Structures are given as structure tokens and as C-alpha cells.
Amino acid sequence: MQDLKIAVVGATGMVGQEFIKILKQRNIPAKNLRLLASARSAGSIVYYGSNEITVEETTPSAFNGINIALFSAGGDVSRYYAPLAVKAGATVIDNSSAWRMDPEVPLVIPEVNAADLEQHNGIIANPNCSTIQMLMALAPLHRINPVKRIIVSTYQSVSGAGGKAVFELQTQSRQVLDGQSVNPHVFPHQIAFNVLPHIDVFLDNGFTKEEMKMVNETHKMLHDYSIIVTATCARVPVLNGHSESITVEFYESMPADEARGILTMVKGVKVLDDPTINVYPQPWSATGSDDTFVGRIRQDLSQPNCINMWVVADNIRKGAALNAIQIAETLAANDWVKAKGVR
Amino acid sequence: MQDLKIAVVGATGMVGQEFIKILKQRNIPAKNLRLLASARSAGSIVYYGSNEITVEETTPSAFNGINIALFSAGGDVSRYYAPLAVKAGATVIDNSSAWRMDPEVPLVIPEVNAADLEQHNGIIANPNCSTIQMLMALAPLHRINPVKRIIVSTYQSVSGAGGKAVFELQTQSRQVLDGQSVNPHVFPHQIAFNVLPHIDVFLDNGFTKEEMKMVNETHKMLHDYSIIVTATCARVPVLNGHSESITVEFYESMPADEARGILTMVKGVKVLDDPTINVYPQPWSATGSDDTFVGRIRQDLSQPNCINMWVVADNIRKGAALNAIQIAETLAANDWVKAKGVR
């Protein structure tokens, strides 16, 4: 990774900032980093350790000489610039939902389906935050005892909706505490001290796009379209960190102790499951961690093949920036960073 | 109801205050009201319209002449004083969990199983808030097409844990916004901008007592012990109003439209289900309402007998005080307020 030239597209956004933080932790030299954003943000300065890096405008030529381009600037930017970046010789790892369902594009959680990366054609999609943490917990179990059905209800933080959403929750929280009325902008209704069963847009089947991402991305990454997935995605007044209540049915019996034992061995998963001393995953304490936390693992009453669990992760980190950088590291380690565009 | 002498036990608590508010809305005359609390709160003044009522200490003799005693002062107070109140001639409606599973004690949501009240022996139990709103939505469907399995994840507000819990959320929220550290007292961990998958105590089976209430109370009220209920109860940083994500399986097919049609006709239920214009139930807007709100009604993918829904209610109102008063009104209307103790 140290020798690769890396571009961050959307460098001033929440995920962009997390990219930069993680790249610094990885000791990527400043000279190998190019920070890109919209014309509006171009010219602003980002501190990278003791270096100041000037944010440049995203243009087709900005990708010249870049080996890996990490995109997190929304679907429209990805749709337009990802093919141009590939043409310029970069391998794109995209955080938007634009390319996820393209059959030519691998959708990857390195701990789950790293092998799918090998056949990439220049663009690799990073999954949705909610799907990443769910599959971090379920894929290791699925390998041993195939999953038949998943019923998941999410408790998603506002950071997934960007910096403006974090500011809106903070602002509205103060307003409610001070007895003032609130004025929603980012969310359709008040988010402070409220819960909205609504993330992304509604589809004709009554589910939201966010809920269907959990269905479709699970199928694609586990290579099993027979798994029944039902999701309810809700936004809760939490700044960062998504929680999920998951009921999972396997084809064979899966005692809670067995599931706990399997998950304890998985890299990237941390089991926090000792209710007698109030130990269980929480979004506040998961923030800043690389791990996906799993707890409340228990046998579903009267359903021998079913267990329930509570899964929490930092949605900006493992749910977005970290996972994308892990994809880049997997590509680099396997010599899969192939220039697909430049001949 | 107007002629009955009513005692409120726990008059200074959150549910107690809601009792008083609803009794005032029902035009119960001040002279028929006796407000009781612990020795510590005795002597304090409660405003009841233009009347000032002095709170008295709860003692065995305080129930003399009382027809209906509404208890909401915790399990210990109910266990001790409810039999004494019955002996003094009162009919007790108890909000604690102390008597709910007693086979001699009816557990009642008037819209669901009012007939169970007829055979009461002086004590009637008010169900747990989470169970009330779930069965308000499910019982009308169950009557037409029996329920086979329920999987529910809750998003419960702090008011269910009392006034101190509301204060703790408010205080911690300000502290977090001001960058200060928090110091949990009521909850085992920070509740501001966090989610705790932990309500009431943990049991040996890995479920909490709160989760098992949803199982056991559903069985008792629907008179059907074959229904499989799996609950995950979580506390969210919401001041008031519980939300529930429910997946329900019926024995026969239940199209979402049919469920919506049935629920639209039910008294006490309000269907809020128009995602195209962002209409769905929310705890903030449900607060202060008598109704249980149901939305996001949709067919479970690939499961013809399953639907998903999102159910919200004011947990202090329909989840506690209102339901208890509706029990009292049902008793009064049917002449079921029988003095069981005095011969």
C-alpha cells in the first residue's frame, strides 16, 4: 500500500475524513495522497499529520497516475467519474450504491468474500454499512451452517446521512432541551428524541431502498439467492454507530454457545456478551473501533435452528471507510491492483 | 365512573401524574379523588383543575371508602398494599408486574380481552407497555387469522423507567453536546445518543424480564400459549413513546392490504401508512395521544403468511395510565366494580 498513489474523492465529507484518518494510521506518505472534492471545496486545506494537503477539484485528469481511487461523494459522482478514473489507470473502490448491483462489479467485505476481488474490472463496490456489520456477524456462521432466513431491525445513527445530519441532530437536541421548536432539513421529520422508520427512499413493495440493500447485497456477497432477508431500517437519535437486532434461522440446529464460540475466533469480530455484568455492544462505545461487536446471543424460544443477536459497529469506519481501505489492502497484498484502463 | 371514589397510589410519579391528567379529562370530581404516595411525598400539593389536592401517605386505612385504586408505585408497594386495598373494599388496578402472571388476576387490555375482567377477585393487572401496543395492533388480526409467530424488536423511550430516567437523558444529552463526560445513575451505561439492548434484568435464558413479559403476557391475554414470541427490547434516547418493529406470521395468508383494512376499523388504533408522503408512526408525534399508531405495513418478502409493521404508542398513556383507566371504565360500565374484601 505504501507505494501506491491513492486518491480520495469526497475528501471533505465524513467518510472522506475517516479515509484520511485511517490512511494516516496506515502510514501512507502524504506525497502519495491526492485529495479530491467538488469545485466548492477545492482549495481547502486538510491536515495530514504535519503535512498540509490542498484539496483539488475532481476532474477526469485528476486521476492520472493514481493507482487506487477511494470514492465517497455520492452516487452521481461515482457514476460519472469512476469509469473515467478506471480509464486513467486507477482501480476504484466506491462507497456509493451506484455500482453495487452491477454484475461486473465485485461487492466485497474482505473478511467475507475477498476472493470476489480477483476478477474485478477496475471498479469495486463497498457494501452498505448495515449489510457490512450484519454479514461480519453472520458469514462465519453461514460457512458452518447455512443461513435460511434473516429478520433484522436496525437502529441506525445519523452519521450515515453525513455531516449535515450530525449537525441537525445536535442542533435539534439543544432546541428540544431548551423548549424550542425544531425545523427539519436533512431528515423529513424531527430526529432529536425521535425514531424514524425511514432510511433512503420508499419503493413500490413498501420497503425502503436501504432495506432492500440488506436483501440484495446479502445475496450477492454470500452467493446465495435463496436466503430470505427481511429488514426494517430505522433512524435513531444516535450520532454514530449502527445497532442491529437480528433473528437468524439456520438449516441445522445452532446452539447459542456454538455461535458464540465460532464468532469468538473471527478476526474483525469481537464478542461482548456477558449480560450478568451488563456487557453488550453499544454504539457509543463502538465508535472509533475497527471491530464489529456481537452480543445478546441467545437461542430463539421454541425455534431450535434460530438464534438472536445484537450487532453494533462504527458505520463510518467498518461500515464505510475502513472496509474500503481493507479492500485496497487486499488488492495490494494479492497484486490485484491492475490498471484496467491504460493499455 | 363519576360516582366512584378513586385512589391513585404513586400519585407523584410519571404514571401517577398521567392518571391525574386523564381523570381530569374524564371530569372525575376532585372530591372523589384520593392521592397517595410514599411518606416522603406525602403533604405535597397536586393541582387538579382549580382544586389543590394534598397527597397523603399510603397506609392500609387510606383505602377505606375507595372503590377503585389505581396503583403505580412499583412492585413492592403493589405486592404489599393491593391485598390490603382489596380487603378495605377497593378494586385494584395495578400497573406493576407484581400480579400479572397470577392465574387469579385478570391481565387486560380492554380492546383485546375485556371479558376477562368479569371474574376478577379484586386485583386486576395492567400489562407491560410494550405488550399493550403490540397486542393493540395484533389482536384484531389474530381474531380473523390466528397468529403463529411474532418477532419483535422494540425502541423504548426512557419515560418507562420514570421521571429520573427522563431527567438523566436530558442531563446527559446536554453534557454530550457540551463535550462533557456523563455519569450514569438510572441506566447502567450512557443513554444519551446511545442504544442499550437491556431493559429490566437478565434471566438465565439470555432474555431480559422485559422481553419475557412480551412472551408471557401475550399468551395470557390472547389465551393461546402456542404462539411463538421472540422479543428484543432496547432502550433508545427518546423521552417518551415506544416504537416496535414487528414481523408476524399467521396460519393463513394475510395480504398487507387486508391487514391495513382490518386495522383501519379498530377503535384505539390509527393507521398512519402513506410512505409516499413520509407518513408513518413516530414516538415524538404519538406522545399525548390515546391511539396506538400502526404503519409500514408490508408483506414479508417470500413469506406469504407474514407481514411486517411499525407500531408506536405513548407508553405512559396507552401503555400505562390510559389503559388502567379504560379498565376502570369497563368495570364501571359493566357493574363489575365489586367489593371483594368487605362482606
Side-chain angles (χ1 to χ4, degrees):
Chain A
M1 279 280 281
Q2 256 72 19
D3 304 329
L4 298 174
K5 308 280 185 195
I6 299 174
V8 173
V9 184
T12 55
M14 283 205 74
V15 175
Q17 292 290 308
E18 196 73 22
F19 273 141
I20 295 166
K21 201 194 288 178
I22 298 171
L23 291 170
K24 186 78 193 75
Q25 289 165 344
R26 276 16 185 192
N27 294 315
I28 304 297
K31 67 176 171 56
N32 288 354
L33 205 55
R34 190 173 295 163
L35 304 185
L36 304 174
S38 64
R40 196 166 35 82
S41 298
S44 57
I45 302 288
V46 167
Y47 292 92
Y48 187 75
S50 56
N51 299 282
E52 293 183 358
I53 305 182
T54 305
V55 176
E56 301 168 53
E57 186 180 348
T58 312
T59 61
S61 63
F63 297 98
N64 292 337
I66 292 296
N67 302 113
I68 289 188
L70 302 166
F71 273 69
S72 186
D76 290 342
V77 171
S78 295
R79 256 182 296 272
Y80 183 75
Y81 280 107
L84 298 176
V86 171
K87 212 167 174 183
T91 296
V92 169
I93 303 169
D94 181 34
N95 259 281
S96 82
S97 63
W99 299 94
R100 286 184 194 146
M101 286 303 119
D102 188 316
E104 300 293 307
V105 172
L107 179 71
V108 173
I109 305 169
E111 294 91 337
V112 172
N113 61 331
D116 289 356
L117 287 172
E118 189 172 2
Q119 298 307 321
H120 79 84
N121 287 305
I123 302 178
I124 295 143
N126 200 56
N128 186 44
C129 44
S130 316
T131 318
I132 290 176
Q133 67 184 70
M134 180 169 84
L135 293 193
M136 281 298 292
L138 294 187
L141 306 174
H142 175 70
R143 271 183 217 116
I144 288 162
N145 182 349
V147 167
K148 189 174 178 183
R149 186 181 182 196
I150 300 167
I151 294 164
V152 55
S153 293
T154 71
Y155 302 64
Q156 294 181 234
S157 69
V158 299
S159 66
K164 280 181 187 167
V166 172
F167 181 73
E168 180 151 305
L169 172 57
Q170 290 169 327
T171 307
Q172 287 185 0
S173 297
R174 278 195 197 279
Q175 288 168 329
V176 170
L177 291 169
D178 292 341
Q180 298 166 4
S181 60
V182 308
N183 202 354
H185 295 287
V186 177
F187 298 108
H189 304 282
Q190 177 180 321
I191 183 63
F193 305 106
N194 199 14
V195 180
L196 302 178
H198 176 187
I199 300 180
D200 211 330
V201 298
F202 282 97
L203 304 172
D204 287 343
N205 65 1
F207 287 83
T208 59
K209 224 169 153 179
E210 183 81 1
E211 289 159 354
M212 293 311 296
K213 287 174 197 166
M214 297 189 82
V215 180
N216 298 326
E217 297 181 13
T218 297
H219 288 162
K220 181 164 176 173
M221 283 188 279
L222 297 184
H223 308 123
D224 185 344
Y225 290 75
S226 72
I227 299 173
I228 301 164
V229 183
T230 305
T232 300
C233 291
R235 190 76 74 182
V236 293
V238 166
L239 295 166
N240 190 52
H242 289 355
S243 309
E244 297 178 349
S245 167
I246 301 175
T247 296
V248 53
E249 183 181 347
F250 299 90
Y251 277 95
E252 308 287 337
S253 156
M254 173 66 86
D257 280 344
E258 187 184 334
R260 208 176 285 114
I262 294 166
L263 290 173
T264 305
M265 311 288 285
V266 175
K267 199 165 176 283
V269 170
K270 190 157 185 184
V271 174
L272 286 183
D273 196 11
D274 194 348
T276 58
I277 52 167
N278 299 331
V279 169
Y280 34 73
Q282 302 166 48
W284 182 263
S285 38
T287 288
S289 291
D290 288 355
D291 287 325
T292 297
F293 299 92
V294 186
R296 302 285 331 266
I297 304 169
R298 60 210 195 276
Q299 201 77 39
D300 193 296
L301 302 164
S302 339
Q303 300 280 312
N305 296 359
C306 256
I307 58 171
N308 301 292
M309 52 174 73
W310 181 260
V311 177
V312 174
D314 182 334
N315 52 295
I316 294 295
R317 208 167 167 90
K318 182 56 185 172
L322 175 69
N323 193 73
I325 287 175
Q326 289 172 327
I327 290 173
E329 290 171 332
T330 309
L331 292 171
N334 291 282
D335 207 19
W336 288 340
V337 187
K338 303 164 269 196
K340 295 284 178 173
V342 179
R343 308 286 164 191
Chain B
M1 278 281 281
Q2 256 72 20
D3 305 329
L4 299 175
K5 308 281 185 195
I6 299 173
V8 173
V9 184
T12 55
M14 284 205 74
V15 175
Q17 292 290 308
E18 196 73 22
F19 272 140
I20 294 166
K21 201 194 287 177
I22 298 170
L23 291 169
K24 186 77 195 74
Q25 288 166 346
R26 276 15 185 193
N27 294 315
I28 304 298
K31 67 174 171 59
N32 288 353
L33 206 55
R34 189 173 296 164
L35 303 186
L36 304 175
S38 64
R40 198 165 35 81
S41 297
S44 58
I45 302 288
V46 167
Y47 292 92
Y48 187 75
S50 56
N51 299 281
E52 293 183 359
I53 305 183
T54 304
V55 176
E56 299 167 55
E57 187 180 347
T58 312
T59 60
S61 63
F63 298 98
N64 292 338
I66 292 296
N67 302 113
I68 289 188
L70 302 166
F71 273 68
S72 186
D76 291 341
V77 171
S78 295
R79 256 182 297 271
Y80 183 74
Y81 280 107
L84 297 175
V86 172
K87 213 168 174 181
T91 295
V92 169
I93 303 169
D94 181 35
N95 260 280
S96 82
S97 62
W99 299 95
R100 286 183 194 147
M101 285 304 119
D102 189 316
E104 300 294 308
V105 172
L107 179 72
V108 173
I109 305 166
E111 294 91 337
V112 172
N113 61 330
D116 289 355
L117 287 172
E118 189 172 2
Q119 298 306 323
H120 79 83
N121 288 304
I123 302 178
I124 294 144
N126 200 55
N128 185 44
C129 44
S130 316
T131 318
I132 291 177
Q133 67 183 71
M134 179 170 83
L135 293 193
M136 281 297 293
L138 294 188
L141 306 174
H142 175 70
R143 270 183 218 114
I144 287 162
N145 182 349
V147 167
K148 188 175 179 183
R149 185 180 182 195
I150 301 167
I151 295 164
V152 55
S153 293
T154 71
Y155 302 63
Q156 294 181 234
S157 70
V158 298
S159 66
K164 281 181 187 168
V166 171
F167 182 72
E168 180 151 306
L169 173 57
Q170 290 169 327
T171 306
Q172 287 186 0
S173 297
R174 278 196 199 277
Q175 287 169 329
V176 170
L177 291 169
D178 292 341
Q180 297 166 3
S181 60
V182 308
N183 202 355
H185 295 287
V186 178
F187 299 107
H189 304 282
Q190 176 179 322
I191 183 62
F193 305 107
N194 199 14
V195 180
L196 302 178
H198 175 189
I199 300 180
D200 210 331
V201 297
F202 282 97
L203 304 173
D204 286 343
N205 66 1
F207 287 83
T208 59
K209 225 168 152 179
E210 182 82 0
E211 288 160 355
M212 293 311 296
K213 286 174 197 165
M214 298 189 80
V215 180
N216 299 326
E217 296 180 16
T218 296
H219 289 162
K220 180 165 177 172
M221 284 188 278
L222 297 185
H223 308 123
D224 185 343
Y225 290 75
S226 72
I227 300 173
I228 301 163
V229 183
T230 304
T232 300
C233 291
R235 191 75 74 182
V236 293
V238 167
L239 296 166
N240 190 53
H242 288 356
S243 309
E244 296 178 348
S245 167
I246 300 174
T247 296
V248 54
E249 183 181 346
F250 299 89
Y251 278 95
E252 307 287 336
S253 156
M254 172 66 86
D257 281 345
E258 188 184 333
R260 208 177 284 113
I262 294 166
L263 290 173
T264 304
M265 312 289 285
V266 177
K267 198 165 178 281
V269 170
K270 190 157 185 185
V271 174
L272 285 184
D273 196 11
D274 194 347
T276 57
I277 52 168
N278 299 331
V279 169
Y280 34 73
Q282 302 165 48
W284 182 264
S285 38
T287 288
S289 289
D290 289 354
D291 287 325
T292 297
F293 298 92
V294 186
R296 301 288 329 268
I297 304 169
R298 60 210 195 277
Q299 201 78 39
D300 192 297
L301 303 163
S302 340
Q303 301 279 311
N305 295 358
C306 258
I307 57 171
N308 300 293
M309 51 174 72
W310 181 259
V311 178
V312 175
D314 182 334
N315 51 295
I316 295 293
R317 209 167 165 89
K318 181 58 184 170
L322 175 69
N323 193 72
I325 287 175
Q326 288 172 326
I327 289 174
E329 290 171 332
T330 309
L331 293 171
N334 290 282
D335 208 18
W336 288 340
V337 186
K338 302 164 270 196
K340 295 284 178 174
V342 179
R343 307 285 163 191

